[in-house]
Amino acid sequence: MMTKKLLFFSFLSMAILVGCNKSENQPEDETSTTRSINFNDVSYYLLDGQKIPVRKNDGKFYVMFHTSEVGKITEQLSKVDIKLKNLTDVQGINLYSINVIGSGVNKFSDFKSATIEGEYETVKLALSHTLYWAPYYQFLERFEGIDEFGITNLFYVKLKSLKDMDLLMKLAKENLVELIGSDKFLYGWYLLACTNHSKGDALEMTNLFFESGLFENASTDVFGIGKIH
């Protein structure tokens, strides 16, 4: 079972990590071709094993990017009369709750986070300059009085046994997901991180790892719905 303690540390970790060095091979005019952009598909938010139906919001995106990319992003958005909202500076790394064992942490440095409001086709050029972007998600039915929520690029996976570590690393590699490390306080839980090169956003990867049947549980790092946990 995902606990309040796990969500607390997950959210704190998100607030001070994330960002990845841009690949030299990543095209400048489009986001990674492996990322899903079908906004009509019904997916689900996994909460303690319960699958709550959700759909991507084509009109609101959480983004993270290096400071050096701010000018390119704002320039693209200005062409369609859109501004970054909730712009936040985050610097440094604080992993006090994580036992760092993955090489992925070496790719993380200072970054900015923000919200972009606009349809994908309108803002996709701006998204191409981000380290990671993900749409906000909408519940198909109001859940605990909440219509939508945002996700970071982080998610947790709980191993059935420590002998399953190889399975975790293999699946992470196959889906271009970065392994950060194990939680110091919650036995068996591991933190992973997505970038624009991953084969899905953090919610999609949470569900993929859970559906593999290889692990005991999985959870997405979310914001905007803290009261339902």
Side-chain angles (χ1 to χ4, degrees), residues 128-168:
S128 71
H129 296 290
T130 65
L131 302 163
Y132 169 82
W133 65 266
Y136 275 61
Y137 279 82
Q138 296 175 317
F139 292 109
L140 296 191
E141 297 182 1
R142 285 180 66 86
F143 184 73
E144 297 289 331
I146 302 168
D147 291 318
E148 68 174 12
F149 61 95
I151 65 173
T152 73
N153 73 331
L154 303 177
F155 68 103
Y156 275 90
V157 171
K158 185 176 184 181
L159 304 186
K160 294 180 179 179
S161 165
L162 291 183
K163 293 185 296 184
D164 296 330
M165 188 64 198
D166 288 344
L167 297 176
L168 179 65

Side-chain angles (χ1 to χ4, degrees), residues 39-197:
F39 294 94
N40 294 317
D41 287 348
V42 174
S43 184
Y44 62 87
Y45 167 55
L46 188 66
L47 178 63
D48 292 339
Q50 179 184 2
K51 297 181 178 180
I52 306 168
V54 296
R55 181 179 285 120
K56 295 177 180 178
N57 179 358
D58 183 10
K60 193 172 182 180
F61 301 88
Y62 172 79
V63 296
M64 296 184 298
F65 47 88
H66 284 309
T67 301
S68 59
E69 299 297 306
V70 175
K72 296 176 183 178
I73 293 172
T74 55
E75 179 183 2
Q76 292 294 340
L77 292 178
S78 66
K79 295 177 181 179
V80 291
D81 196 27
I82 293 175
K83 295 182 179 180
L84 291 171
K85 295 186 176 182
N86 305 318
L87 183 62
T88 303
D89 291 298
V90 183
Q91 295 182 343
I93 297 177
N94 184 345
L95 295 175
Y96 70 91
S97 66
I98 301 297
N99 177 29
V100 178
I101 61 171
S103 61
V105 72
N106 296 324
K107 298 183 179 181
F108 295 85
S109 60
D110 66 298
F111 70 98
K112 292 179 180 289
S113 65
T115 298
I116 294 177
E117 294 187 4
E119 294 183 353
Y120 174 78
E121 289 299 322
T122 302
V123 303
K124 65 180 181 181
L125 291 181
L127 296 179
S128 71
H129 296 290
T130 65
L131 302 163
Y132 169 82
W133 65 266
Y136 275 61
Y137 279 82
Q138 296 175 317
F139 292 109
L140 296 191
E141 297 182 1
R142 285 180 66 86
F143 184 73
E144 297 289 331
I146 302 168
D147 291 318
E148 68 174 12
F149 61 95
I151 65 173
T152 73
N153 73 331
L154 303 177
F155 68 103
Y156 275 90
V157 171
K158 185 176 184 181
L159 304 186
K160 294 180 179 179
S161 165
L162 291 183
K163 293 185 296 184
D164 296 330
M165 188 64 198
D166 288 344
L167 297 176
L168 179 65
M169 295 179 68
K170 181 176 184 293
L171 199 57
K173 183 177 181 179
E174 290 175 352
N175 290 280
L176 304 179
V177 169
E178 300 288 350
L179 173 66
I180 303 302
S182 59
D183 194 291
K184 295 178 181 178
F185 305 101
L186 295 165
Y187 183 80
W189 284 96
Y190 285 79
L191 176 66
L192 300 101
C194 299
T195 70
N196 282 345
H197 297 295

